[in-house]
Amino acid sequence: RTRIRSGLDAGGDLRDWDLPDREFHVESAAAEPNRYTTAVVIAAYGESEPILSATDE
């Protein structure tokens, strides 16, 4: 959690961005022998418009 906060602070400072209302969730999984564990990371900032409209689907 400390590394996440530090990284977000550094990224915001580097770009002169204010990053209010930050949220993050930390999950962990025990490694099983001869198996893989996958991590998915999403960083979303700001507002956006959808690429597709409901009629395009």
Side-chain angles (χ1 to χ4, degrees), residues 28-52:
S28 62
E32 295 183 29
N34 301 315
R35 303 292 297 215
Y36 295 99
T37 300
T38 302
V40 177
V41 178
I42 299 173
Y45 299 99
E47 297 179 17
S48 65
E49 297 292 325
I51 294 173
L52 299 173

Side-chain angles (χ1 to χ4, degrees), residues 49-57:
E49 297 292 325
I51 294 173
L52 299 173
S53 68
T55 59
D56 291 336
E57 295 178 357

Side-chain angles (χ1 to χ4, degrees), residues 19 22 37:
L19 302 173
R22 298 185 302 192
T37 300

